[in-house]
């Protein structure tokens, strides 16, 4: 979005002409948390939409994403998926 463009532009300005760094860095410090918040919101929205699609498709066979549990292996970072039947 526009925040990402603004952050990228400020970083590029500092790269091209470091004399602007004293003015640009405070702006970056204000914009970067806003950008992170916006990106987190977009990620949450996308995951919600993906879950909706997954539940729609699984619903055709009587299941939902709630029937599956993921567990991350701390040693490797890989995930395992386990099926949990409805009770």
């Amino acid at each position: 979005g526009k925040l990402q463009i603004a952050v990228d532009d400020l970083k590029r300005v500092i790269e091209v002409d470091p004399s602007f760094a004293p003015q640009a860095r405070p702006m970056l410090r204000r914009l970067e948390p806003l950008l992170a918040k916006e990106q987190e919101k977009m990620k949450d929205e996308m995951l919600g939409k993906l879950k909706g699609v997954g539940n729609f498709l699984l619903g055709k066979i009587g299941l939902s994403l709630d029937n599956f549990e993921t567990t991350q292996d701390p040693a490797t970072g890989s995930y395992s998926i386990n099926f949990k039947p409805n009770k």
Side-chain angles (χ1 to χ4, degrees):
K2 292 182 181 187
L3 280 174
Q4 181 67 58
I5 293 168
V7 167
D8 291 344
D9 286 349
L10 285 169
K11 287 179 179 178
R12 182 72 178 136
V13 164
I14 293 170
E15 184 181 306
V16 170
D17 188 349
S19 70
F20 282 104
Q23 294 91 2
R25 282 203 176 98
M27 288 185 258
L28 273 174
R29 282 194 295 273
R30 284 194 314 267
L31 291 177
E32 286 176 331
L34 296 174
L35 176 61
K37 188 175 180 180
E38 179 181 276
Q39 288 172 333
E40 186 67 26
K41 181 181 173 190
M42 288 171 49
K43 182 184 84 169
D44 289 345
E45 288 174 7
M46 184 56 62
L47 288 175
K49 289 177 184 180
L50 286 171
K51 186 173 181 179
V53 169
N55 282 331
F56 172 76
L57 295 172
L58 288 169
K60 295 192 177 286
I61 56 170
L63 298 173
S64 79
L65 288 174
D66 295 329
N67 293 110
F68 299 90
E69 178 180 73
T70 59
T71 309
Q72 186 175 20
D73 180 346
T76 64
S78 64
Y79 286 87
S80 62
I81 300 173
N82 300 310
F83 178 73
K84 323 183 292 189
N86 290 331
K87 299 200 180 208

